[in-house]
Amino acid sequence: MMRKAFVMNVHPEKHDEYARRHNPIWAEMEEILKRHGVASYSIFLHPETSQLFAYVELEQDHQWEQIAETEVCQRWWEYMSDLMPTNPDKSPTSVDLNEVFHLE
């Protein structure tokens, strides 16, 4: 199992809507994540900076990349694009974080 962490942003006035759209997440999106080896996925909001911290545990890194290629994920990105900064393909802009410490 590998761990991946990254940061994104949500528009300050969209915090509540961002949370609403994730609770619950689309069943088909949850299925895609699990089918691609995601065992655990959490997103945390820093309310003062509007920064999102995402943490995911998955089987293999290449599976994460495959999720982005699915029709469901691309629809999800489109659905969320009015709430956050995005790339031209509607994927959220994000920065991967390097792990510097882990305790099991």
Side-chain angles (χ1 to χ4, degrees), residues 61-79:
D61 197 37
H62 75 276
Q63 292 173 298
W64 184 253
E65 296 164 7
Q66 291 173 345
I67 293 169
E69 299 170 7
T70 67
E71 182 271 335
V72 173
C73 183
Q74 292 177 16
R75 274 193 296 116
W76 178 260
W77 288 346
E78 177 68 34
Y79 177 60

Side-chain angles (χ1 to χ4, degrees), residues 97-102:
L97 300 176
N98 297 323
E99 184 174 347
V100 295
F101 175 78
H102 177 74

Side-chain angles (χ1 to χ4, degrees), residues 14-27:
K14 302 291 186 172
H15 292 186
D16 291 341
E17 181 62 15
Y18 184 88
R20 187 193 69 75
R21 292 187 191 183
H22 281 81
N23 292 294
I25 194 168
W26 297 343

Side-chain angles (χ1 to χ4, degrees), residues 79-90:
Y79 177 60
M80 298 299 290
S81 66
D82 63 322
L83 305 181
M84 57 198 315
T86 62
N87 296 305
D89 67 355
K90 301 291 185 176

Side-chain angles (χ1 to χ4, degrees), residues 38-77:
V38 174
S40 178
Y41 190 178
S42 298
I43 301 174
F44 301 86
L45 170 66
H46 187 303
E48 294 173 10
T49 65
S50 296
Q51 189 170 58
L52 300 164
F53 167 75
Y55 173 80
V56 63
E57 294 177 348
L58 68 157
E59 293 172 8
Q60 297 178 26
D61 197 37
H62 75 276
Q63 292 173 298
W64 184 253
E65 296 164 7
Q66 291 173 345
I67 293 169
E69 299 170 7
T70 67
E71 182 271 335
V72 173
C73 183
Q74 292 177 16
R75 274 193 296 116
W76 178 260
W77 288 346

